[in-house]
Amino acid sequence: METKHLSRRGFIGSGALAAAGMLFLPKTNFARSFLSTDKPNSVVGGVLIGVTTYSYGHMKNVTAEDMLQYCLQDNISGVELRGDATELSAGAPKKAPGQSGADFNKAMADWRASVPMDKFKEIGKMYKDAGVTIYAYKPVVFGPNNTDEEINYAFNAAKALGANHCNCEMPEHNDALTQKIGDIAAKHKMRIGYHAHTQATPTLWDTAMSQSPYNCINLDIGHYVAGNNTDVLAFIEKHHDRITSMHIKDRKVNNGPNTTFGQGDTPIKDVLLLMKRKKYKFPATIELEYKVPADSTDVKEVAKCREYMAAILSA
């Protein structure tokens, strides 16, 4: 797909977002004519269909500005914004030729500890003005080697972006780390959703949730089912008040592959209808992980996923 790249400074400073959006319209069922008053809308049946910017990982341009344009193309009005694109737009240092991984990580930690939050407020305003809610922020700063300052940065940046929670990978066999993260989350009064893969079990999050009311679940229903946890509906009903946002993908059981939506063993339809019926307020986040066909793009495939979910929720 041909895209026209807009510089970070030029894009954030421009008041012509709608006009710029017209340059990026794809040929999909959800392509829109973005006039000055048009905003995306992916709330269907009371459920917000969102997307994680990880889904656009194969695209050439990967700044926060680019991610916003991809959301607009797909008519998606809510997003889990990943740290890579966000930090790039906020001026994070780039790894220098020959720089060791340890030195680069130290430079990133120093940057995160001192970066002004106004950069994140600008990004948040850009998304809000375009009609896209940033509901989650997911930077890679919640590991055992990250500093307390980096964890504090994540929550401060999330608030500046307008997010109501952070998400991170579930630390394995590290109750001390989830305790620390939960304690810091409590100081910020912001929830953190732990994301698991096929190691997930119905009790995986129990210890973390007992440590802090701010330790919560970023449930990935595809990974959960691929780990042979077949009763995902019961899990959602039991823990719905502790789910920050939910990742939607389709996978086969027995650690099987990712598939296009509707071709795997994940009960996407049942989950979405449960969310609609129970009026759960957490977003249903598209996470594109199946292989993108050679004649397609991430943006086109996310549009297909959105269309699949919208058809279920609108019935």
Side-chain angles (χ1 to χ4, degrees):
M1 181 185 70
E2 295 288 336
T3 58
K4 181 177 179 181
H5 180 62
L6 299 178
S7 72
R8 175 172 61 90
R9 181 180 300 172
F11 192 95
I12 292 178
S14 172
L17 176 62
M22 294 181 71
L23 299 175
F24 295 82
L25 295 177
K27 295 180 180 179
T28 74
N29 290 341
F30 289 99
R32 297 157 56 98
S33 175
F34 279 93
L35 303 177
S36 60
T37 58
D38 283 344
K39 297 288 179 68
N41 183 8
S42 54
V43 178
V44 184
V47 176
L48 172 59
I49 300 173
V51 68
T52 173
T53 53
Y54 170 84
S55 299
Y56 301 120
H58 297 104
M59 305 302 292
K60 291 175 74 174
N61 300 323
V62 292
T63 65
E65 295 85 354
D66 299 317
M67 297 303 171
L68 174 57
Q69 287 299 330
Y70 302 147
C71 289
L72 294 177
Q73 289 183 62
D74 287 327
N75 188 18
I76 287 179
S77 54
V79 66
E80 174 193 86
L81 199 57
R82 299 284 288 239
D84 48 3
T86 313
E87 291 177 334
L88 183 61
S89 288
K94 296 180 180 180
K95 189 173 182 180
Q99 185 179 26
S100 69
D103 286 345
F104 176 68
N105 290 339
K106 176 63 166 55
M108 284 296 297
D110 291 344
W111 178 83
R112 289 167 177 148
S114 61
V115 60
M117 287 297 108
D118 60 351
K119 295 178 181 291
F120 294 88
K121 290 178 182 177
E122 289 177 358
I123 294 170
K125 183 178 186 301
M126 176 178 67
Y127 274 71
K128 183 178 180 180
D129 289 348
V132 179
T133 297
I134 300 172
Y135 53 77
Y137 183 45
K138 189 178 181 180
V140 184
V141 298
F142 294 99
N145 296 320
N146 291 110
T147 65
D148 288 8
E149 288 78 11
E150 288 180 283
I151 297 173
N152 279 296
Y153 143 83
F155 289 112
N156 285 327
K159 284 182 276 190
L161 289 166
N164 60 35
H165 66 275
C166 286
N167 287 332
C168 73
E169 298 300 310
M170 169 63 86
E172 293 199 41
H173 312 298
N174 197 333
D175 294 345
L177 182 54
T178 54
Q179 180 70 69
K180 180 174 78 167
I181 294 171
D183 290 344
I184 295 176
K187 293 179 182 178
H188 289 273
K189 293 182 169 53
M190 178 173 280
R191 301 202 302 172
I192 175 82
Y194 295 97
H195 178 272
H197 295 257
T198 53
Q199 87 273 25
T201 66
T203 61
L204 177 70
W205 291 268
D206 286 358
T207 297
M209 289 193 295
S210 71
Q211 293 170 330
S212 169
Y214 292 91
N215 277 345
C216 296
I217 304 167
N218 171 224
L219 180 65
D220 186 309
I221 61 171
H223 291 326
Y224 192 81
V225 169
N228 296 324
N229 304 294
T230 54
D231 200 353
V232 67
L233 297 178
F235 183 88
I236 294 169
E237 289 196 80
K238 180 178 180 180
H239 295 294
H240 66 90
D241 60 336
R242 299 296 290 271
I243 296 175
T244 56
S245 50
M246 193 157 63
H247 283 188
I248 307 295
K249 66 164 63 75
D250 207 350
R251 287 189 65 178
K252 296 284 190 179
V253 296
N254 298 319
N255 202 25
N258 292 286
T259 71
T260 56
F261 284 20
Q263 300 301 309
D265 296 316
T266 310
I268 294 177
K269 179 178 180 180
D270 293 340
V271 168
L272 293 176
L273 292 179
L274 175 68
M275 293 177 66
K276 178 181 178 179
R277 185 172 68 254
K278 294 286 189 176
K279 295 181 169 55
Y280 294 149
K281 296 304 180 184
F282 52 82
T285 307
I286 297 166
E287 184 172 36
L288 178 66
E289 285 202 308
Y290 63 80
K291 186 176 181 180
V292 175
D295 61 347
S296 187
T297 66
D298 294 346
V299 172
K300 291 179 181 178
E301 294 306 307
V302 168
K304 293 176 185 177
C305 296
R306 183 208 186 284
E307 184 173 10
Y308 178 87
M309 294 166 65
I312 292 170
L313 290 166
S314 62

